[in-house]
């Protein structure tokens, strides 16, 4: 039975609406759902009829859990007299795979009709098509039943039993990597924000100097590029597209033929601006974005003049059109949003968000938006061009990483959230529940709970769309990488919903279709050849962690958190194999910051702690530091002779730093990734949860420039220390 019909049935039961009746001739007459809806509304309970759309039946299967029979669920009820037998057949047609077509008759019981006497809803079953290949299959079912013809459209999504893992890792190889916040990368060539040109140079450093197989990145999703509310990579404008701020402009082929772009870049005023942005302590998203857009428009103009429609069939124009066709309506709506946003920001009254635009423009399908698209085709094309160039440059970096012998190369990150004021929510509002926000319930860490502010997904509509939005997001995140971290992987099981007018204490957990989503992750992982890591920090039900492991999804284990019930640090041998191990992450203090209580200092400064809680934090931290030293000594990575110095010294000693790195690399985990802040003992934390303007989040730049990594003696010593430990642990890159 269709899920929404189950909801309707439950509501009807509570309102006393019977499912049907049997007439004097013995014929069963089922209650018409439309009539039931009207009665429910009359009784004060309204169900949105649009959510009862059963035109497409969607089923997701794992190849190791296939049923013997395929259940077909028609949208309409079937009425037969009590003694009447089903006559006719069921025909199955699999688009693009005629070898799986079949015809099944009722009289031979290959096709079976079942009618639920309690609900009146009917299902048909036929043999499951054996050996149907992995992938998304469009299926047409034609039911001929006692003179009636009933068509049913289906999507069968066949998934592998588990996610992908490189053969070398399956065979026991363990690897290591370094994590970078790309926006914070400093270099002599970027414009005040790390870019994909810097990333290529970091590949050289990681492969040649660190001897590692992985470079981890922050989410590269498209942002509003405005501080402090629209600069978090974990609250993006769009998860389907990337942030143009990462483009390495001089590497774009069309830059080389644009005299105007070159002149702008070489102008003294521009050079002064770029140097000021490089020298800025923090990433200035607004100014970097504005400068890049100014020059990128000239680059795009050169492309249109030399490769545009007037040069139809030319190589680059053809490649551009292929990209546009591949990205389809998602790119069209995203680029339209960007062009509209720019249009309204440049014209009074300059609304700040799309929710303040004139009403017709708040709907991506309105006639007014269609008119804007026709009248501003080139402006929209510009935003498509930027995404094409981002895709090309990222593809080139991953190819370069693989050519250097890196087993995985780029390790991407997919955010949980989406900005209510961003492109995705404007373009695909029907796939979100606008009346709620996602967060977390009250706990010891956050006594009042957490309100993350973004809307939860409308799982029913996403499923009715054959999971296309979910799959598209995943495919985009997996493109041009060897590994992907899924932020807050519990989203695949349930999310904590808070009413729009409520607080976290009023929230409830709402289940997702966990089995379907896990199977779909396995599908995308296999097709993209990408390793999946699930961020499973915090309280995770053991059964869900077991389900993740069964699908081959790596756990995400942080050194700080791996403690037993007595708060002792766990020995390295107790870490799981199917895991990524790190010391810290962007929302936690760096190791040096942790050791020096820097996060406690910042929490006091921002008003998150009062004096009593500060004292408790410092007491707990001091105890935790003692437990860490005890574990490092017991596991043989910190010499007993230097342990006292490590305890007494406010800043981590060389031996303590070496010990923590060695500890993580000695774990059985197949993947260890160390943040560059922990590699270089930087005390600055990328993000302080619970703050926006109170703390400079998502703007911190690297301690060393890209050039320093191979020339600065201090940077080289840190790199050599890590590389030596990587080689000693057997995790070194193999060329």
């Amino acid at each position: 039975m269709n899920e929404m019909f189950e909801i309707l049935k439950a509501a009807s039961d509570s309102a006393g609406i019977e499912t049907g009746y049997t007439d004097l001739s013995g014929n069963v007459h089922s209650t018409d759902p439309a009539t039931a809806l009207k009665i429910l509304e009359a009784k004060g309970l309204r169900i949105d009829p649009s959510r009862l759309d059963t035109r497409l039946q969607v089923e997701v299967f794992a190849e190791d859990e296939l049923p013997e029979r395929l259940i077909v669920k028609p949208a309409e009820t079937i009425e037969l007299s009590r003694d009447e037998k089903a006559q006719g057949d069921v025909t199955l047609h699999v688009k693009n795979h005629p070898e799986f077509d079949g015809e099944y008759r009722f009289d031979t019981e290959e096709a079976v009709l079942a009618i639920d006497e309690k609900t009146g809803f009917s299902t048909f079953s036929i043999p499951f098509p054996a050996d149907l290949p992995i992938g998304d299959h469009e299926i047409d079912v034609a039911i001929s039943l006692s003179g009636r013809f009933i068509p049913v459209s289906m999507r069968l999504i066949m998934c592998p039993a588990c996610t992908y893992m490189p053969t070398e890792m399956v065979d026991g190889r363990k690897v290591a990597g370094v994590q970078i916040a790309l926006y914070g990368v400093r270099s002599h060539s970027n414009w005040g924000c790390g870019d994909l040109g810097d990333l290529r140079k970091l590949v050289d450093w990681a492969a040649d100097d660190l001897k590692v197989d992985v470079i981890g990145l922050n989410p590269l999703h498209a942002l509003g590029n405005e501080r402090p509310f629209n600069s978090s990579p974990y609250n993006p404008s769009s998860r389907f597209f990337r942030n143009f701020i990462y483009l390495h402009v001089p590497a774009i082929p069309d830059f080389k033929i644009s005299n105007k772009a070159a002149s702008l870049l070489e102008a003294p005023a521009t050079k002064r601006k770029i140097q000021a942005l490089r020298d800025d302590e923090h990433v200035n998203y607004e100014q970097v974005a504005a400068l890049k857009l100014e020059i990128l428009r000239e680059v795009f103009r050169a492309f249109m003049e030399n490769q545009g429609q007037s040069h139809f069939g030319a190589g680059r124009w053809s490649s551009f059109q292929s990209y546009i066709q591949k990205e389809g309506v998602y790119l069209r709506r995203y680029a339209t949003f960007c062009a509209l946003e720019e249009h309204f920001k440049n014209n009074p009254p300059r609304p700040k968000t799309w929710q303040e635009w004139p009403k017709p423009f708040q709907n991506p399908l309105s006639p007014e938006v269609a008119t804007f698209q026709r009248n501003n085709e080139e402006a929209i094309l510009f935003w498509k061009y930027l995404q094409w160039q981002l895709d090309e440059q990222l593809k080139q970096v991953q190819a370069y990483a693989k050519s250097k012998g890196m087993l995985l190369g780029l390790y991407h990150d997919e955010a949980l959230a989406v900005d209510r004021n961003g492109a995705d929510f404007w373009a695909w509002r029907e796939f979100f529940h606008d009346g709620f926000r996602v967060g977390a319930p009250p706990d010891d860490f956050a006594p009042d709970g957490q309100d993350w502010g973004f809307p939860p997904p409308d799982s029913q509509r996403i499923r009715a769309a054959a999971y296309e939005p979910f799959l598209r997001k995943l495919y985009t995140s997996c493109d041009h990488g060897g590994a992907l971290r899924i932020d807050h992987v519990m989203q695949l099981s349930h999310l904590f919903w808070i009413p729009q007018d409520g607080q976290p204490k009023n929230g409830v957990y709402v289940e997702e279709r966990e089995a379907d989503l896990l199977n779909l992750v396995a599908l995308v992982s296999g097709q993209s050849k990408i390793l999946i890591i699930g961020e499973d920090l915090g309280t995770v039900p053991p059964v869900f962690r077991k389900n993740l492991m069964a699908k081959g999804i790596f756990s995400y284990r942080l050194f700080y958190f791996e403690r037993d019930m007595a708060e002792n640090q766990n020995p390295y041998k107790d870490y799981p194999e199917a895991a990524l191990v790190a010391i810290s992450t962007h929302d936690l203090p760096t190791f040096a910051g942790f050791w020096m209580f820097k996060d406690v200092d910042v929490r006091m400064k921002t008003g998150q702690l009062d004096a009593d809680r500060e004292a408790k934090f410092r007491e707990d931290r001091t105890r935790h530091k003692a437990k860490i030293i005890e574990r490092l000594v017991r596991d043989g990575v910190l010499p007993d002779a230097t342990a006292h110095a490590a305890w007494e010294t406010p800043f981590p000693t060389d031996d303590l730093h070496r010990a923590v790195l060695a500890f993580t690399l000695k774990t059985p985990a197949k993947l260890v990734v160390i943040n560059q802040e922990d590699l270089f003992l930087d005390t600055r934390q990328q993000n302080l949860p619970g703050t926006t303007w109170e703390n400079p989040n998502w703007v911190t730049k690297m301690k060393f420039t890209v050039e320093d990594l191979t020339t600065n003696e201090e940077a080289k010593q840190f790199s050599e220390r890590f590389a030596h430990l990587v080689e000693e642990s057997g995790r070194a890159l193999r060329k």
Side-chain angles (χ1 to χ4, degrees), residues 306-597:
N306 291 274
Q307 301 283 336
Q309 288 176 317
S310 60
H311 299 265
F312 182 77
R316 282 175 56 69
W317 178 257
S318 178
S319 298
F320 184 31
Q321 291 304 304
S322 294
Y323 173 78
I324 290 173
Q325 184 174 5
K326 177 175 75 77
E327 297 299 326
V329 66
Y330 288 86
L331 180 60
R332 180 166 177 77
R333 289 196 189 180
Y334 171 76
T336 298
F337 173 86
C338 293
L340 277 168
E341 185 176 50
E342 192 168 49
H343 168 78
F344 285 116
K345 281 186 177 180
N346 290 336
N347 291 280
R350 295 185 174 85
K352 292 183 178 180
T353 75
W354 66 262
Q355 300 189 53
E356 297 173 4
W357 295 351
K359 204 73 174 176
F361 292 95
Q362 295 180 22
N363 178 1
L365 298 178
S366 72
E368 289 80 359
V369 169
T371 299
F372 178 87
Q373 289 170 327
R374 288 192 299 271
N375 295 340
N376 296 272
E377 185 177 347
E378 192 161 309
I380 292 170
L381 202 62
F382 168 69
W383 292 99
K384 294 179 181 180
Y385 173 84
L386 298 190
Q387 290 302 316
W388 174 47
Q389 288 307 295
L390 278 163
D391 191 70
E392 289 291 307
Q393 289 193 1
L394 195 61
K395 182 196 306 179
Q396 291 164 12
V397 175
Q398 174 64 358
Y400 185 63
K402 299 293 284 186
S403 76
K404 298 285 289 186
M406 285 184 154
L407 182 62
L408 296 176
L410 302 181
Y411 156 44
H412 294 299
D413 198 349
E414 180 184 274
L416 164 68
V418 63
D419 187 356
R420 284 180 183 272
N421 297 317
D424 285 355
F425 196 60
W426 174 82
W428 304 103
R429 204 143 64 254
E430 66 269 29
F431 295 125
F432 297 95
H433 282 289
D434 194 18
F436 297 87
R437 305 183 306 278
V438 173
D443 57 19
D444 291 341
F445 178 75
D448 297 324
Q450 298 179 60
D451 183 348
W452 300 333
F454 64 92
D458 188 330
S459 303
Q460 181 64 28
R461 283 183 171 159
I462 291 172
R463 184 171 188 266
Y467 287 109
E468 186 181 342
F470 178 82
L471 289 167
R472 175 61 69 113
K473 169 176 62 75
L474 259 182
Y475 280 121
T476 298
S477 298
C478 289
D479 273 351
H480 317 314
L484 173 70
R485 173 187 179 272
I486 299 177
D487 189 34
H488 193 72
V489 74
M490 279 295 294
Q491 65 176 285
L492 304 178
S493 179
H494 67 196
L495 284 171
F496 191 73
W497 290 28
I498 304 167
Q500 194 66 22
D501 57 352
Q503 300 175 5
K505 66 180 181 181
N506 307 121
V508 296
Y509 276 108
V510 178
E511 289 185 354
E512 297 292 328
R513 286 182 167 269
E514 180 184 312
D516 280 7
L517 298 183
L518 289 175
N519 284 333
L520 293 172
V521 170
L523 172 67
V524 176
S525 168
Q527 292 181 334
S528 302
K529 295 289 188 288
I530 197 165
L531 184 75
I532 303 293
I533 298 100
E535 187 268 282
D536 55 349
L537 303 176
T539 304
V540 178
V543 67
F544 180 61
R545 190 162 269 156
K546 181 179 178 182
N547 293 342
L548 293 175
M549 291 176 62
K551 286 297 174 186
I553 296 174
F554 275 28
S555 184
Y556 187 70
R557 300 300 177 97
L558 297 183
F559 174 71
Y560 297 153
F561 292 169
E562 291 302 300
R563 306 166 76 185
D564 63 20
M565 296 299 291
E567 297 187 340
N568 297 306
Q569 207 75 23
N570 292 335
Y572 68 73
K573 65 181 178 59
D574 287 355
Y575 283 62
E577 283 189 23
L580 181 152
V581 169
I583 297 172
S584 183
T585 187
H586 53 268
D587 283 340
L588 295 171
T590 66
F591 181 68
F594 172 93
W595 208 254
M596 297 181 69
F597 301 88

Side-chain angles (χ1 to χ4, degrees), residues 183-184 227 231 281-285 686 696-701:
Y183 54 84
R227 299 165 294 171
S231 56
E281 178 186 2
H282 296 137
V283 178
N284 188 324
Y285 286 90
Q686 286 294 338
N697 297 326
W698 313 115
V699 294
T700 302
K701 293 186 179 181

Side-chain angles (χ1 to χ4, degrees), residues 176-215:
V178 62
Q179 181 85 25
I180 302 290
L182 185 57
Y183 54 84
V185 172
R186 296 167 55 220
S187 77
H188 297 165
S189 60
N190 73 36
W191 300 2
C193 173
D195 62 31
L196 293 170
D198 293 328
L199 185 56
R200 183 184 174 98
K201 295 173 186 174
L202 289 171
V203 166
D204 285 329
W205 170 65
D208 299 340
D209 294 10
L210 300 183
K211 313 296 184 187
V212 297
D213 286 275
V214 185
I215 290 188

Side-chain angles (χ1 to χ4, degrees), residues 247-322:
L247 274 171
H248 182 44
V249 178
I252 299 174
D254 306 300
F255 176 83
K256 298 174 174 60
I257 59 173
S258 173
N259 294 330
K260 186 68 180 293
S263 297
L264 271 172
L265 186 56
E266 290 300 316
T270 304
K271 287 189 171 184
R272 287 194 298 271
K273 181 181 290 186
I274 289 175
Q275 191 58 53
L277 290 170
R278 287 180 190 148
D279 294 341
D280 198 327
E281 178 186 2
H282 296 137
V283 178
N284 188 324
Y285 286 90
E286 297 87 347
Q287 289 191 27
V288 174
L291 177 60
K292 287 204 171 185
L293 283 177
E294 181 183 7
I295 295 180
L296 282 166
R297 290 189 195 285
E298 296 303 328
V299 174
F300 174 66
R301 187 170 290 116
F303 169 76
M304 293 299 290
E305 289 172 355
N306 291 274
Q307 301 283 336
Q309 288 176 317
S310 60
H311 299 265
F312 182 77
R316 282 175 56 69
W317 178 257
S318 178
S319 298
F320 184 31
Q321 291 304 304
S322 294

